[in-house]
Protein backbone atom coordinates (compact mmCIF):
# COMPACT_ATOMS: atom_id res chain seq x y z
CA UNK A 1 0.00 0.00 0.00
CA UNK A 2 1.15 3.57 -0.75
CA UNK A 3 3.08 4.98 2.21
CA UNK A 4 2.08 8.50 1.33
CA UNK A 5 3.12 11.78 -0.27
CA UNK A 6 6.73 11.08 -1.39
CA UNK A 7 8.17 14.46 -0.40
CA UNK A 8 6.42 14.39 2.97
CA UNK A 9 7.61 10.85 3.66
CA UNK A 10 11.18 11.87 2.79
CA UNK A 11 10.87 14.86 5.11
CA UNK A 12 9.62 12.72 8.00
CA UNK A 13 12.24 10.00 7.45
CA UNK A 14 15.03 12.59 7.44
CA UNK A 15 13.69 14.02 10.70
CA UNK A 16 13.56 10.57 12.34
CA UNK A 17 17.08 9.70 11.18
CA UNK A 18 18.38 12.99 12.54
CA UNK A 19 16.47 13.27 15.84
CA UNK A 20 15.09 9.81 16.57
CA UNK A 21 11.47 8.65 16.68
CA UNK A 22 8.77 11.33 16.53
CA UNK A 23 5.96 11.69 19.01
CA UNK A 24 2.73 10.64 17.36
CA UNK A 25 1.50 14.21 17.83
CA UNK A 26 4.47 15.47 15.81
CA UNK A 27 3.89 12.84 13.14
CA UNK A 28 0.16 13.67 12.91
CA UNK A 29 0.86 17.41 12.82
CA UNK A 30 3.16 16.93 9.82
CA UNK A 31 0.77 14.56 8.04
CA UNK A 32 -2.11 17.03 8.32
CA UNK A 33 -0.51 20.47 8.49
CA UNK A 34 3.00 20.43 7.01
CA UNK A 35 3.10 23.80 5.18
CA UNK A 36 4.26 22.23 1.92
CA UNK A 37 2.77 18.73 1.81
CA UNK A 38 0.26 18.35 4.64
CA UNK A 39 -3.20 16.90 3.95
CA UNK A 40 -5.04 20.13 4.77
CA UNK A 41 -2.45 22.47 3.31
CA UNK A 42 -2.49 21.22 -0.28
CA UNK A 43 -5.20 21.74 -2.94
CA UNK A 44 -7.79 19.06 -3.57
CA UNK A 45 -11.22 18.02 -2.35
CA UNK A 46 -11.19 17.04 1.31
CA UNK A 47 -14.81 17.33 2.45
CA UNK A 48 -18.01 16.18 0.74
CA UNK A 49 -18.84 13.76 -2.03
CA UNK A 50 -15.59 14.28 -3.93
CA UNK A 51 -13.46 14.28 -0.80
CA UNK A 52 -12.76 11.85 2.02
CA UNK A 53 -15.48 12.50 4.58
CA UNK A 54 -18.73 14.37 5.21
CA UNK A 55 -19.57 16.87 7.94
CA UNK A 56 -23.03 17.88 9.14
CA UNK A 57 -22.68 20.97 6.97
CA UNK A 58 -22.49 18.81 3.85
CA UNK A 59 -25.63 16.90 4.79
CA UNK A 60 -28.16 19.76 4.77
CA UNK A 61 -28.11 23.61 5.08
CA UNK A 62 -30.63 23.40 7.95
CA UNK A 63 -27.70 22.59 10.26
CA UNK A 64 -26.05 25.98 9.68
CA UNK A 65 -29.38 27.79 9.63
CA UNK A 66 -30.30 26.49 13.08
CA UNK A 67 -26.88 27.36 14.48
CA UNK A 68 -27.50 30.84 13.09
CA UNK A 69 -30.83 30.92 14.89
CA UNK A 70 -29.10 30.01 18.15
CA UNK A 71 -26.43 32.68 17.64
CA UNK A 72 -29.04 35.36 16.93
CA UNK A 73 -30.95 34.40 20.07
CA UNK A 74 -27.77 34.53 22.15
CA UNK A 75 -26.90 37.94 20.72
CA UNK A 76 -29.87 39.47 22.54
CA UNK A 77 -28.24 38.57 25.85
CA UNK A 78 -24.68 39.41 24.79
CA UNK A 79 -25.00 42.86 23.21
CA UNK A 80 -28.31 44.59 22.57
CA UNK A 81 -29.15 46.14 19.24
CA UNK A 82 -27.77 49.65 19.04
CA UNK A 83 -25.04 48.97 21.60
CA UNK A 84 -22.34 47.82 19.20
CA UNK A 85 -21.24 45.23 16.67
CA UNK A 86 -21.55 41.50 17.17
CA UNK A 87 -18.58 39.34 16.21
CA UNK A 88 -18.80 35.71 15.11
CA UNK A 89 -15.44 33.97 15.04
CA UNK A 90 -15.42 30.61 13.27
CA UNK A 91 -12.37 28.44 13.80
CA UNK A 92 -11.44 25.87 11.15
CA UNK A 93 -14.23 26.77 8.74
CA UNK A 94 -13.62 24.01 6.19
CA UNK A 95 -15.20 24.96 2.86
CA UNK A 96 -17.02 27.91 4.39
CA UNK A 97 -20.44 26.28 4.31
CA UNK A 98 -21.37 27.20 7.89
CA UNK A 99 -20.59 30.86 7.24
CA UNK A 100 -22.38 30.85 3.89
CA UNK A 101 -25.63 29.22 5.02
CA UNK A 102 -25.71 31.03 8.36
CA UNK A 103 -25.14 34.49 6.86
CA UNK A 104 -27.45 33.80 3.94
CA UNK A 105 -30.23 32.94 6.39
CA UNK A 106 -29.66 36.32 8.08
CA UNK A 107 -29.68 38.04 4.69
CA UNK A 108 -33.09 36.56 3.93
CA UNK A 109 -34.75 36.57 7.35
CA UNK A 110 -32.85 38.92 9.65
CA UNK A 111 -31.10 41.67 7.64
CA UNK A 112 -31.01 44.03 10.64
CA UNK A 113 -28.92 41.53 12.56
CA UNK A 114 -26.69 40.85 9.55
CA UNK A 115 -25.83 44.56 9.43
CA UNK A 116 -24.38 44.25 12.95
CA UNK A 117 -22.38 41.08 12.32
CA UNK A 118 -18.65 40.94 11.69
CA UNK A 119 -17.80 37.37 10.68
CA UNK A 120 -14.18 36.28 11.07
CA UNK A 121 -12.92 32.96 9.72
CA UNK A 122 -9.75 31.70 11.42
CA UNK A 123 -7.92 29.53 8.89
CA UNK A 124 -4.28 28.85 8.07
CA UNK A 125 -4.69 26.60 5.03
CA UNK A 126 -4.36 28.53 1.74
CA UNK A 127 -6.38 25.83 -0.03
CA UNK A 128 -9.24 26.13 2.47
CA UNK A 129 -9.20 29.94 2.38
CA UNK A 130 -9.56 29.82 -1.40
CA UNK A 131 -12.58 27.49 -1.08
CA UNK A 132 -14.12 29.69 1.60
CA UNK A 133 -13.74 32.84 -0.49
CA UNK A 134 -15.43 31.12 -3.42
CA UNK A 135 -18.41 29.98 -1.35
CA UNK A 136 -18.75 33.38 0.31
CA UNK A 137 -18.27 35.49 -2.82
CA UNK A 138 -21.99 36.40 -3.25
CA UNK A 139 -22.15 37.66 0.33
CA UNK A 140 -18.85 39.51 0.00
CA UNK A 141 -20.11 41.15 -3.20
CA UNK A 142 -23.19 42.35 -1.30
CA UNK A 143 -21.05 43.97 1.38
CA UNK A 144 -21.21 41.45 4.21
CA UNK A 145 -18.41 42.07 6.70
CA UNK A 146 -16.34 38.90 6.37
CA UNK A 147 -12.63 38.79 7.12
CA UNK A 148 -9.94 36.18 7.72
CA UNK A 149 -7.33 35.66 10.43
CA UNK A 150 -4.43 33.20 10.51
CA UNK A 151 -4.85 32.23 14.16
CA UNK A 152 -6.42 33.23 17.45
CA UNK A 153 -3.13 34.95 18.18
CA UNK A 154 -4.30 37.71 15.82
CA UNK A 155 -6.92 38.76 18.40
CA UNK A 156 -5.92 40.85 21.44
CA UNK A 157 -7.05 39.59 24.82
CA UNK A 158 -10.72 40.31 25.64
CA UNK A 159 -11.32 41.73 22.15
CA UNK A 160 -14.28 39.59 21.04
CA UNK A 161 -17.86 40.35 21.99
CA UNK A 162 -20.05 37.70 20.42
CA UNK A 163 -19.71 33.98 19.70
CA UNK A 164 -16.70 31.79 18.97
CA UNK A 165 -17.81 28.79 16.89
CA UNK A 166 -16.19 25.56 15.78
CA UNK A 167 -17.61 22.51 14.04
CA UNK A 168 -15.48 19.38 13.69
CA UNK A 169 -12.25 21.21 14.39
CA UNK A 170 -10.90 19.82 17.66
CA UNK A 171 -11.01 16.19 16.44
CA UNK A 172 -8.38 17.10 13.82
CA UNK A 173 -5.83 18.48 16.30
CA UNK A 174 -2.69 16.32 16.61
CA UNK A 175 -2.86 13.92 19.54
CA UNK A 176 -0.35 12.06 21.67
CA UNK A 177 -0.98 8.32 21.81
CA UNK A 178 -0.26 6.32 24.94
CA UNK A 179 -0.63 2.75 26.14
CA UNK A 180 -0.70 1.40 29.68
CA UNK A 181 1.86 -1.34 30.40
CA UNK A 182 2.48 -3.32 33.64
CA UNK A 183 5.31 -0.94 34.58
CA UNK A 184 3.33 2.21 33.82
CA UNK A 185 2.24 4.56 31.05
CA UNK A 186 4.17 4.46 27.78
CA UNK A 187 4.00 6.94 24.94
CA UNK A 188 3.79 5.72 21.34
CA UNK A 189 6.41 7.26 19.05
CA UNK A 190 6.87 6.81 15.30
CA UNK A 191 10.06 5.33 13.91
CA UNK A 192 11.30 4.12 10.51
CA UNK A 193 12.74 0.68 9.70
CA UNK A 194 13.98 1.47 6.20
CA UNK A 195 10.75 0.50 4.43
CA UNK A 196 7.87 1.68 6.57
CA UNK A 197 6.85 3.68 9.61
CA UNK A 198 6.51 1.68 12.83
CA UNK A 199 5.54 2.28 16.43
CA UNK A 200 8.08 2.62 19.24
CA UNK A 201 7.06 2.65 22.89
CA UNK A 202 9.03 4.70 25.40
CA UNK A 203 8.48 6.64 28.64
CA UNK A 204 6.31 9.72 28.04
CA UNK A 205 8.21 12.73 26.72
CA UNK A 206 6.53 14.92 29.33
CA UNK A 207 4.98 14.36 32.78
CA UNK A 208 1.99 16.29 31.41
CA UNK A 209 0.67 13.09 29.80
CA UNK A 210 0.49 11.21 33.12
CA UNK A 211 -0.87 14.29 34.86
CA UNK A 212 -3.64 14.46 32.28
CA UNK A 213 -5.22 11.25 33.57
CA UNK A 214 -4.44 12.05 37.21
CA UNK A 215 -6.40 15.29 36.90
CA UNK A 216 -9.38 13.36 35.56
CA UNK A 217 -9.12 10.61 38.17
CA UNK A 218 -8.88 8.02 35.41
CA UNK A 219 -6.73 4.87 35.43
CA UNK A 220 -6.24 3.04 32.13
CA UNK A 221 -6.20 -0.73 32.19
CA UNK A 222 -3.06 -2.63 31.22
CA UNK A 223 -2.96 -2.90 27.44
CA UNK A 224 -5.41 -0.04 26.92
CA UNK A 225 -4.51 2.62 24.36
CA UNK A 226 -5.73 6.21 24.42
CA UNK A 227 -5.23 9.61 22.83
CA UNK A 228 -4.40 12.85 24.64
CA UNK A 229 -5.18 16.13 22.87
CA UNK A 230 -2.99 18.70 24.60
CA UNK A 231 -3.45 21.18 21.75
CA UNK A 232 -7.20 21.22 22.41
CA UNK A 233 -6.61 22.45 25.95
CA UNK A 234 -4.40 25.31 24.80
CA UNK A 235 -6.92 26.16 22.06
CA UNK A 236 -9.73 26.38 24.60
CA UNK A 237 -7.64 28.58 26.89
CA UNK A 238 -6.94 30.89 23.94
CA UNK A 239 -10.64 31.08 23.11
CA UNK A 240 -11.41 32.06 26.68
CA UNK A 241 -8.65 34.65 26.64
CA UNK A 242 -9.80 36.51 23.51
CA UNK A 243 -13.49 36.43 24.48
CA UNK A 244 -14.58 39.49 26.47
CA UNK A 245 -18.29 38.69 26.60
CA UNK A 246 -20.32 36.00 24.92
CA UNK A 247 -20.25 32.30 24.12
CA UNK A 248 -17.91 29.58 22.92
CA UNK A 249 -19.83 26.87 21.03
CA UNK A 250 -17.88 23.68 20.28
CA UNK A 251 -19.51 21.00 18.10
CA UNK A 252 -17.63 17.77 17.52
CA UNK A 253 -17.77 14.05 17.95
CA UNK A 254 -16.58 12.89 21.32
CA UNK A 255 -17.49 12.00 24.88
CA UNK A 256 -17.06 12.90 28.51
CA UNK A 257 -13.72 11.71 29.88
CA UNK A 258 -15.36 8.86 31.79
CA UNK A 259 -16.85 7.48 28.56
CA UNK A 260 -13.90 8.27 26.29
CA UNK A 261 -11.37 6.48 28.49
CA UNK A 262 -13.62 3.62 29.57
CA UNK A 263 -12.06 0.14 29.48
CA UNK A 264 -14.39 -0.79 26.62
CA UNK A 265 -12.41 1.54 24.33
CA UNK A 266 -9.35 -0.71 24.46
CA UNK A 267 -7.80 0.57 21.23
CA UNK A 268 -8.56 4.29 21.59
CA UNK A 269 -10.47 6.25 18.95
CA UNK A 270 -7.93 7.26 16.29
CA UNK A 271 -9.36 6.80 12.78
CA UNK A 272 -8.30 7.66 9.24
CA UNK A 273 -10.53 8.60 6.30
CA UNK A 274 -9.74 8.22 2.61
CA UNK A 275 -12.38 8.40 -0.12
CA UNK A 276 -15.06 7.76 2.51
CA UNK A 277 -13.42 4.53 3.67
CA UNK A 278 -12.46 4.27 7.34
CA UNK A 279 -9.28 2.63 8.59
CA UNK A 280 -7.08 2.48 11.69
CA UNK A 281 -3.83 2.77 9.67
CA UNK A 282 -2.14 6.16 10.16
CA UNK A 283 1.15 4.97 8.67
CA UNK A 284 -0.06 4.67 5.09
CA UNK A 285 -1.21 7.41 2.70
CA UNK A 286 0.62 9.89 4.96
CA UNK A 287 -0.41 13.39 3.89
CA UNK A 288 -3.14 11.92 1.68
CA UNK A 289 -5.76 10.92 4.26
CA UNK A 290 -7.51 12.55 7.18
CA UNK A 291 -6.71 11.54 10.76
CA UNK A 292 -9.00 12.21 13.72
CA UNK A 293 -9.58 11.25 17.34
CA UNK A 294 -12.68 11.71 19.48
CA UNK A 295 -12.82 14.78 21.72
CA UNK A 296 -12.56 14.74 25.52
CA UNK A 297 -15.24 17.29 26.44
CA UNK A 298 -14.53 17.07 30.18
CA UNK A 299 -11.00 18.34 29.67
CA UNK A 300 -12.22 21.06 27.32
CA UNK A 301 -14.64 22.28 29.99
CA UNK A 302 -11.90 22.27 32.66
CA UNK A 303 -9.46 24.13 30.39
CA UNK A 304 -12.16 26.67 29.59
CA UNK A 305 -12.86 27.27 33.24
CA UNK A 306 -9.20 28.21 33.74
CA UNK A 307 -9.77 30.99 31.18
CA UNK A 308 -12.99 32.23 32.73
CA UNK A 309 -15.44 30.17 30.67
CA UNK A 310 -18.39 28.72 32.58
CA UNK A 311 -20.39 25.79 31.24
CA UNK A 312 -23.76 26.94 29.89
CA UNK A 313 -24.77 23.45 28.82
CA UNK A 314 -23.66 20.20 27.25
CA UNK A 315 -25.91 18.21 24.96
CA UNK A 316 -25.87 16.16 21.78
CA UNK A 317 -26.66 17.23 18.23
CA UNK A 318 -30.06 15.52 18.22
CA UNK A 319 -31.34 17.44 21.25
CA UNK A 320 -29.63 20.66 20.19
CA UNK A 321 -31.32 20.71 16.78
CA UNK A 322 -34.66 19.58 18.21
CA UNK A 323 -34.55 22.43 20.72
CA UNK A 324 -34.00 24.86 17.86
CA UNK A 325 -37.08 23.61 16.01
CA UNK A 326 -35.75 21.36 13.28
CA UNK A 327 -39.04 19.41 13.33
CA UNK A 328 -40.81 22.38 11.71
CA UNK A 329 -38.55 22.00 8.66
CA UNK A 330 -40.15 18.62 7.93
CA UNK A 331 -43.62 20.13 7.51
CA UNK A 332 -44.99 19.59 4.01
CA UNK A 333 -41.98 17.54 2.88
CA UNK A 334 -42.35 14.01 1.53
CA UNK A 335 -40.87 11.76 4.26
CA UNK A 336 -39.07 9.74 1.58
CA UNK A 337 -37.63 12.74 -0.26
CA UNK A 338 -33.84 13.23 -0.35
CA UNK A 339 -34.25 16.43 1.68
CA UNK A 340 -36.14 14.64 4.44
CA UNK A 341 -33.64 11.77 4.47
CA UNK A 342 -30.75 14.25 4.73
CA UNK A 343 -32.28 16.09 7.68
CA UNK A 344 -33.02 12.82 9.46
CA UNK A 345 -29.36 11.88 9.04
CA UNK A 346 -28.45 14.83 11.27
CA UNK A 347 -30.69 13.40 14.00
CA UNK A 348 -29.95 9.67 13.88
CA UNK A 349 -29.76 8.33 17.44
CA UNK A 350 -27.14 5.77 16.41
CA UNK A 351 -25.21 8.20 14.23
CA UNK A 352 -24.68 11.95 13.97
CA UNK A 353 -27.49 12.71 16.38
CA UNK A 354 -25.77 11.27 19.45
CA UNK A 355 -22.12 10.87 18.44
CA UNK A 356 -21.82 14.62 17.94
CA UNK A 357 -21.90 16.72 21.08
CA UNK A 358 -22.40 20.44 21.68
CA UNK A 359 -20.53 22.21 24.47
CA UNK A 360 -21.65 25.79 25.17
CA UNK A 361 -19.66 28.02 27.53
CA UNK A 362 -20.21 31.65 28.52
CA UNK A 363 -18.05 34.48 29.83
CA UNK A 364 -18.66 38.00 31.07
CA UNK A 365 -22.40 37.46 31.48
CA UNK A 366 -24.94 35.33 33.36
CA UNK A 367 -25.76 31.95 31.82
CA UNK A 368 -28.23 32.68 28.99
CA UNK A 369 -31.35 30.64 28.30
CA UNK A 370 -30.75 28.98 24.93
CA UNK A 371 -33.28 27.05 22.86
CA UNK A 372 -30.64 24.53 21.81
CA UNK A 373 -30.16 23.54 25.44
CA UNK A 374 -33.82 23.24 26.39
CA UNK A 375 -33.78 19.45 26.17
CA UNK A 376 -30.68 17.99 27.79
CA UNK A 377 -29.97 14.26 27.56
CA UNK A 378 -27.24 14.57 30.18
CA UNK A 379 -27.31 15.43 33.85
CA UNK A 380 -25.73 18.75 34.80
CA UNK A 381 -22.72 16.88 36.21
CA UNK A 382 -22.11 14.95 32.98
CA UNK A 383 -18.76 16.68 32.63
CA UNK A 384 -17.63 15.72 36.14
CA UNK A 385 -13.88 15.47 36.20
CA UNK A 386 -13.72 11.96 37.64
CA UNK A 387 -13.41 9.69 40.64
CA UNK A 388 -10.21 11.05 42.15
CA UNK A 389 -10.88 14.78 42.06
CA UNK A 390 -14.56 14.66 42.90
CA UNK A 391 -14.84 18.01 41.14
CA UNK A 392 -18.11 18.70 39.40
CA UNK A 393 -19.13 21.05 36.64
CA UNK A 394 -22.66 21.33 38.01
CA UNK A 395 -22.09 24.72 39.57
CA UNK A 396 -20.70 26.00 36.30
CA UNK A 397 -23.76 24.76 34.44
CA UNK A 398 -26.19 26.75 36.59
Amino acid sequence: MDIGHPELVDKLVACIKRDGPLSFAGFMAAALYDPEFGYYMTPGPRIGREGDYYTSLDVHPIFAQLIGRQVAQAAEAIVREGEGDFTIVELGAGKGLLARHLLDSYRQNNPAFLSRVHYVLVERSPAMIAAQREHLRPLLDEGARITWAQSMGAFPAASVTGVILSNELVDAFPVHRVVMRPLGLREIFVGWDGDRFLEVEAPPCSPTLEQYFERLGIALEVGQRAEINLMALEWMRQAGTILRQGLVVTIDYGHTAADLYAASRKAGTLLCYHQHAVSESPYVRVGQQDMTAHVDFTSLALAGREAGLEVTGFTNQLHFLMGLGIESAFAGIDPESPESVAMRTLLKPDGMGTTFKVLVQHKGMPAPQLDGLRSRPFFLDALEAGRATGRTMEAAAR
Side-chain angles (χ1 to χ4, degrees):
M1 187 175 288
D2 183 16
I3 295 178
H5 193 296
E7 288 90 346
L8 180 57
V9 171
D10 288 345
K11 202 172 190 179
L12 286 166
V13 170
C15 182
I16 292 170
K17 288 180 176 180
R18 182 183 67 246
D19 302 325
L22 289 168
S23 71
F24 188 84
F27 175 82
M28 184 173 173
L32 296 181
Y33 302 110
D34 178 85
E36 295 178 289
F37 312 118
Y39 175 80
Y40 280 113
M41 306 301 283
T42 53
R46 300 288 179 253
I47 310 169
R49 184 184 299 274
E50 302 301 321
D52 296 311
Y53 60 93
Y54 289 103
T55 71
S56 295
L57 293 162
D58 297 284
V59 174
H60 197 282
I62 192 69
F63 180 78
Q65 293 163 6
L66 291 177
I67 292 175
R69 183 180 300 177
Q70 184 63 96
V71 169
Q73 181 195 31
E76 298 176 10
I78 297 169
V79 53
R80 296 186 185 92
E81 187 173 356
E83 294 185 357
D85 289 345
F86 187 88
T87 302
I88 301 174
V89 178
E90 185 185 356
L91 301 150
K95 296 184 294 185
L97 292 181
L98 175 56
R100 187 183 82 180
H101 294 314
L102 181 151
L103 293 173
D104 196 53
S105 69
Y106 292 159
R107 182 181 63 81
Q108 297 179 46
N109 305 312
N110 199 348
F113 183 58
L114 178 60
S115 69
R116 299 170 53 202
V117 169
H118 176 204
Y119 202 106
V120 186
L121 296 93
V122 178
E123 181 61 67
R124 59 174 170 166
S125 165
M128 288 297 185
I129 291 173
Q132 292 160 12
R133 287 189 180 277
E134 186 61 31
H135 279 112
L136 293 168
R137 189 172 305 282
L139 286 153
L140 287 165
D141 290 345
E142 291 185 12
R145 287 188 293 165
I146 305 171
T147 58
W148 278 261
Q150 283 286 311
S151 70
M152 281 195 285
F155 297 84
S159 63
V160 175
T161 297
V163 173
I164 298 175
L165 284 172
S166 68
N167 178 63
E168 293 194 54
L169 169 69
V170 182
D171 67 85
F173 287 168
V175 295
H176 293 267
R177 300 181 82 191
V178 296
V179 58
M180 181 58 71
R181 296 302 183 197
L183 295 180
L185 195 69
R186 292 292 180 266
E187 184 172 1
I188 297 171
F189 294 82
V190 181
W192 175 257
D193 72 354
D195 295 304
R196 60 188 177 89
F197 294 107
L198 76 167
E199 295 184 348
V200 179
E201 295 181 15
C205 64
S206 166
T208 304
L209 298 182
E210 291 182 297
Q211 292 165 2
Y212 186 93
F213 293 112
E214 291 171 2
R215 183 188 195 194
L216 295 168
I218 286 173
L220 301 181
E221 293 193 349
V222 173
Q224 183 178 353
R225 290 183 171 222
E227 300 86 27
I228 298 177
N229 194 335
L230 297 180
M231 184 178 290
L233 307 187
E234 179 57 29
W235 169 83
M236 182 58 78
R237 295 185 191 107
Q238 283 186 301
T241 298
I242 69 172
L243 185 68
R244 184 186 75 83
Q245 181 172 310
L247 304 180
V248 177
V249 180
T250 307
I251 305 172
D252 220 315
Y253 48 87
H255 312 273
T256 63
D259 287 339
L260 181 64
Y261 298 118
S264 58
R265 299 186 193 279
K266 193 80 170 175
T269 65
L270 187 86
L271 292 174
C272 304
Y273 292 85
H274 179 70
Q275 297 179 358
H276 300 285
V278 183
S279 79
E280 298 179 358
S281 303
Y283 308 117
V284 298
R285 292 187 289 265
V286 178
Q288 299 167 336
Q289 65 178 0
D290 188 29
M291 281 191 267
T292 76
H294 285 213
V295 175
D296 169 9
F297 280 98
T298 299
S299 291
L300 281 187
L302 290 171
R305 189 164 62 182
E306 294 171 357
L309 296 170
E310 302 294 331
V311 175
T312 318
F314 178 59
T315 188
N316 60 33
Q317 183 168 292
L318 166 63
H319 286 77
F320 186 70
L321 298 181
M322 291 292 286
L324 289 165
I326 192 173
E327 67 273 11
S328 64
F330 288 92
I333 297 177
D334 179 354
E336 302 304 319
S337 68
E339 184 172 12
S340 179
V341 170
M343 288 193 291
R344 289 203 306 272
T345 298
L346 295 171
L347 306 173
K348 282 186 176 179
D350 57 346
M352 284 185 163
T354 55
T355 301
F356 283 83
K357 308 298 192 306
V358 183
L359 174 63
V360 184
Q361 298 155 286
H362 61 277
K363 182 181 179 183
M365 58 185 292
Q369 297 297 311
L370 302 176
D371 286 346
L373 298 176
R374 284 189 300 178
S375 176
R376 302 182 182 183
F378 307 117
F379 294 105
L380 292 183
D381 61 353
L383 294 171
E384 185 177 349
R387 297 180 298 276
T389 64
R391 297 168 68 182
T392 177
M393 302 301 295
E394 183 172 356
R398 288 178 182 150

